[in-house]
Amino acid sequence: MTETAPAITGTKPPRISFEFFPPKSPDMADQLWQTVHALQPLAPDFVSVTYGAGGTTREPTLDTVRRLIAETPMATAAHLTCVGATRDEVRAVVDEFKAVGVRHFVALRGDPQGGVGTRYEPHPGGFENAAALVRGLRDMGDFEVSVSAYPEKHPESADAGADIDMLKRKVDAGATRALTQFFFDNDIFERYLEQVRAAGITIPIVPGIMPIQNLTQLKRFAGMCGASVPEAFDLRFQSTEANPEARASVAADIAAEQIADLSQRGIEEFHIYTMNRAPLTLATLSRLGLYGARDLSGAAA
Ligand code: FAD
């Protein structure tokens, strides 16, 4: 294991947020809460909990958010999608989140109901897109509203310009922060950020960092999301198949290198896709000197 951390160079420690998803079984719930307790000492800026498109995880997301707010000191954001729901249905969900103490939403359109790659049809009585949802949320309360951003463009976008136009519409509707889809090439992110700023968008664009739990699964997922995975990763993970600890070590190196490089480019906030697992996130942050050195056993899927 290489503990030669690519140091964070800024004068201030970076701001970190963690993303979780609602558990689908008691075992997954145990894993989530172990992860939450392991990551809590890092004092994240906030944590967020995803929400299934079409409301498929309404109760589990609500339960997870409720418990995070009641049992931890961490500011907790609820993701919210508007696909397949009327405006009133979405507002009812917002009221439920509000009642458990949510003040920050990550507002998303959600994938088409027919699945990724099928045509998106707005619900006739619903918010037609993420920008309309942001406006609806702002009309309902003094919420902080984060949105998505796509450095390699969303697969449905005709081109990068259309993608940035949609981000602008979300910002004009009241979004205060964008969290990006994961990416691995920081040059792509930097060029994207330049285009976003040139479009007059000034909100923080927070890179989404995905520590690689499993390269094969990641490539499949990235293909659906329109995110590219550098070929060089094949070489880096080569001969780690039979050695989960070596695999986790490579994954933590890659994520730490990416954060350190972005930090050198002036980025101060990072959103980490934890996949409800703590070891790899902790190993990544320990390489950056942001947390005590960690044992990597059990970090790889
Ligand atoms: P938007 O920002 O509205 O659109 C994304 C892009 O697609 C736009 O740039 C626009 O140009 C293009 N586009 C949108 N609609 C059309 C159209 N009709 N025709 C042509 N182009 C179009 N999904 C979940 O289900 N639950 C979650 O909790 C969740 N969390 C996420 C968190 C982050 C940080 C990110 C990056 C994504 C998340 N997603 C989640 C995935 C997201 O729901 C999908 O990517 C979805 O397909 C788009 O939703 P959006 O809000 O990003 O869309």
Side-chain angles (χ1 to χ4, degrees):
M1 182 166 104
T2 55
E3 282 291 345
T4 45
I8 285 279
T9 51
T11 46
K12 295 184 286 192
R15 292 163 65 182
I16 304 279
S17 53
F18 297 126
E19 184 169 307
F20 304 123
F21 58 85
K24 292 194 187 100
S25 68
D27 281 353
M28 287 171 82
D30 287 347
Q31 182 178 301
L32 168 66
W33 293 104
Q34 279 171 23
T35 300
V36 166
H37 293 128
L39 296 182
Q40 190 178 314
L42 282 142
D45 216 28
F46 67 92
V47 297
S48 74
V49 182
T50 62
Y51 185 86
T56 48
T57 66
R58 185 170 145 271
E59 281 308 321
T61 300
L62 190 63
D63 287 347
T64 305
V65 165
R66 182 190 289 119
R67 206 174 144 187
L68 280 164
I69 290 174
E71 297 179 18
T72 80
M74 297 185 286
T76 302
H79 292 218
L80 182 67
T81 61
C82 57
V83 59
T86 65
R87 288 183 174 226
D88 283 347
E89 283 165 348
V90 172
R91 288 193 190 106
V93 175
V94 173
D95 280 336
E96 285 183 296
F97 280 121
K98 198 173 159 184
V100 302
V102 173
R103 297 291 172 267
H104 177 183
F105 287 94
V106 181
L108 303 139
R109 187 199 72 181
D111 284 324
Q113 284 186 294
V116 177
T118 62
R119 193 179 153 75
Y120 172 75
E121 292 292 347
H123 191 289
F127 293 104
E128 58 273 26
N129 56 32
L133 177 61
V134 172
R135 173 73 60 208
L137 279 165
R138 297 302 298 237
D139 288 346
M140 281 189 76
D142 187 20
F143 300 124
E144 188 178 345
V145 183
S146 298
V147 291
S148 62
Y150 296 89
E152 296 182 80
K153 90 171 187 63
H154 185 275
E156 286 175 50
S157 286
D159 52 40
D163 210 84
I164 291 172
D165 281 351
M166 176 57 92
L167 180 59
K168 180 90 169 58
R169 286 166 65 186
K170 295 189 285 190
V171 174
D172 291 345
T176 49
R177 174 197 293 102
L179 306 170
T180 79
Q181 181 60 279
F182 65 85
F183 63 93
F184 297 101
D185 182 336
N186 289 348
D187 290 342
I188 290 178
F189 176 75
E190 199 170 347
R191 279 197 298 276
Y192 172 74
L193 196 56
E194 282 165 13
Q195 288 175 288
V196 164
R197 297 297 180 230
I201 297 168
T202 57
I203 61 167
I205 309 293
V206 181
I209 303 294
M210 177 74 90
I212 303 171
Q213 310 278 348
N214 178 311
L215 184 62
T216 308
Q217 283 173 13
L218 175 87
K219 281 183 179 174
R220 205 174 309 130
F221 185 48
M224 295 192 295
C225 302
S228 60
V229 180
E231 280 178 21
F233 287 2
D234 288 333
L235 201 58
R236 292 189 70 171
F237 281 100
Q238 207 177 36
S239 33
T240 63
E241 289 85 4
N243 185 344
E245 210 164 314
R247 208 160 74 212
S249 182
V250 170
D253 285 345
I254 288 173
E257 286 161 15
Q258 185 181 13
I259 294 175
D261 180 63
L262 285 166
S263 159
Q264 281 174 358
R265 298 176 194 227
I267 306 300
E268 295 174 340
E269 283 182 62
F270 302 91
H271 184 67
I272 301 185
Y273 294 105
T274 69
M275 306 306 285
N276 289 4
R277 291 168 189 267
L280 207 42
T281 296
L282 291 172
T284 299
L285 296 177
S286 78
R287 275 159 167 67
L288 294 161
L290 299 173
Y291 201 62
R294 301 297 295 192
D295 175 12
L296 271 174
S297 48

